[in-house]
Amino acid sequence: MNIRKTHSTVFGLIVVCVFLLKIVYNELSDGIALFDTNSTAATVLQPPKIASAYTFEPKAHHPVACSPDVPDRFNFQPIRSTNRVPMKTLPFDNVTSPNFTKVTLINPKLRYGLCDRIIIRIEAMDNLNRPKLYGEDFFRIKLFSRVPYAAVIADKFVDYRNGTYLASFPLLWEGLMNIEVLLVHPAEAIPLFSPSLDGQRSYAHNYVGEFEMIDDAGVKRAENVDCSERPPKTTFCNFSDPEVYSPFYCNVPKDKNLTCRHWVAFHQDKIKLLSDLTSEIRGDEVKILEVTRKVVQHGIRPILVNDEVDSRRQTPGYVPIESLPYCKASGPPTAHPNGFIFEETWHPFNCQIAKFTHKEARDCLSDKMLRIYGDSTARQLYLNLRGKKLCYVKKSLPPSDDKKRELLCKRGNFTLYFHFHGIPNGGTKRIDNHYAAKEIDNITGGEGSNEVLLLSYWAHFAISGESYYEKRLRGVKEAINRLRKRLPGLKLIVRGTNTRDYVNQGIMLVSSDWHTQRQEMILREVFGDDASLGYLNAWDITRAQPFPDLTHPEHPIIDNLINLILTYVCLA
């Protein structure tokens, strides 16, 4: 009797175990079939299926439409701590460690569906494995798939200023996804970066002014002097242009025969600049700056996303990206990331970017005048467009004195033009200091509906300080507003900043990603009231990219920007 009861009990336990195993098996097999049920051959994973969770007005915040209850459920509470990183160099033991910092997935599941969200918590630890008591670490957090490559940056990030951070992602394609937490800069690097914010290092922004003349005896007299964006304490020549906010001063030459009117050229002494900046870094500061773009090690396994889940799951709707409207010029995006990369193509959350063939691009730009003003990242766009054979360079143009300052090409009734923004520059000798804002004021004729003006102002301004940068942006914006009165219908496009490479630690003191992100926010703020502006969100694109961080991004990134330009111009 007892034996029968024992056998019955064992049999019952086996049945329960089999039932539970079947549930688990079904749960897993719903997510990813390792083997086809009708064949003994292994099943090849299908490429992720892209979806957009955009279901509302363009200005709304994407995650809210996907899961409006996520912030409450996962305790995205108000920041209560006021702890800040001490503005002094700390011992290296106190610096955030990518090896000890902890990353936890708050809402683990066997599988997720499209438009679900995942939340991760980061607990910063120092090099002695002690919890950090303040925030301000600069992380880059992304969710990505390897084959094919797809990535989205955390679109909600909270720094609780006590060493704890929360980040949230939307799940926008099916497949296996990995979490990457990159410590771009530890909080302890901020005291090293911050002197550049008010231009304190602009003294080190060494220019060399060249003065020349032929005296009455026919002898050539020449002298090089120091120049800067701040007036020197000695007698100086003032070459500033207050109309565009460009302060620039040079020491008066020691040769009494040379005066301020004999100024002929200037260039940046890049070797001295890098040497001066590098000499500022001492002791533990060297090790602090070595903690740059370090991957935080964690044990979170790949996340499985499969939308074939049971009907009990409450999921907001989504629509295929192909059904979204084409992107239109509507001002800068919000402070949150607004898109994702899939197979090297950028997909905004709320609209789609068309892919143009060379012929379609030529048809799009027919009868157009595209003027590009700015730095070498602006020139990169010009050269990319020209490289697509959209136009050809005429031998008589551009001016032969400096091909990097002014470029022009034409094809039929399409004209493409580039002009450098003027001081500050990155090292190339300049014959003059023509400013883009002044050139814009000289534009006459044409029809506004056929005129496109593109700006890229950022790469050379970090060392000059945030006030300088903002005033220069407002100066060129005022020139554009005056142009719009002369050419109603003018289309304006602004290219944002992007992640960049570092030549050495010295250059990080003035142009780290920490600086660049602040520039991005200033740029969006200055042009934030322009609802007809087309914005090229290179900052978010390069944070999600599969390529190295470069000041001049690789071709697939530029192709995305070009397609967005053409979408704004011809399809919006």
Side-chain angles (χ1 to χ4, degrees), residues 97-111:
S97 167
N99 299 318
F100 293 131
T101 292
K102 302 173 184 177
V103 182
T104 306
L105 179 59
I106 291 180
N107 58 330
K109 296 168 62 175
L110 285 174
R111 66 173 185 265

Side-chain angles (χ1 to χ4, degrees), residues 455-468:
L455 297 179
S456 184
Y457 269 57
W458 67 276
H460 298 160
F461 288 94
I463 195 171
S464 303
E466 293 184 340
S467 175
Y468 180 104

Side-chain angles (χ1 to χ4, degrees), residues 239-251:
F239 300 121
S240 304
D241 192 327
E243 291 184 19
V244 298
Y245 192 79
S246 180
F248 194 77
Y249 309 89
C250 293
N251 292 330

Side-chain angles (χ1 to χ4, degrees), residues 459-477:
H460 298 160
F461 288 94
I463 195 171
S464 303
E466 293 184 340
S467 175
Y468 180 104
Y469 180 52
E470 181 178 347
K471 289 176 181 177
R472 276 295 291 276
L473 288 177
R474 294 196 182 281
V476 72
K477 182 183 178 183

Side-chain angles (χ1 to χ4, degrees), residues 243-262:
E243 291 184 19
V244 298
Y245 192 79
S246 180
F248 194 77
Y249 309 89
C250 293
N251 292 330
V252 171
K254 295 179 181 179
D255 187 335
K256 301 300 181 183
N257 293 289
L258 293 170
T259 65
C260 294
R261 62 187 178 87
H262 294 127

Side-chain angles (χ1 to χ4, degrees), residues 353-387:
I353 301 170
K355 287 189 175 182
F356 289 78
T357 65
H358 289 186
K359 181 181 184 305
E360 289 169 340
R362 285 196 297 270
D363 292 343
C364 165
L365 295 173
S366 179
D367 296 322
K368 301 288 192 301
M369 173 73 179
L370 175 53
R371 306 174 193 265
I372 303 176
Y373 296 94
D375 51 37
S376 56
T377 63
R379 186 168 60 242
Q380 185 182 23
L381 292 173
Y382 168 92
L383 294 174
N384 185 282
L385 283 164
R386 196 178 74 183

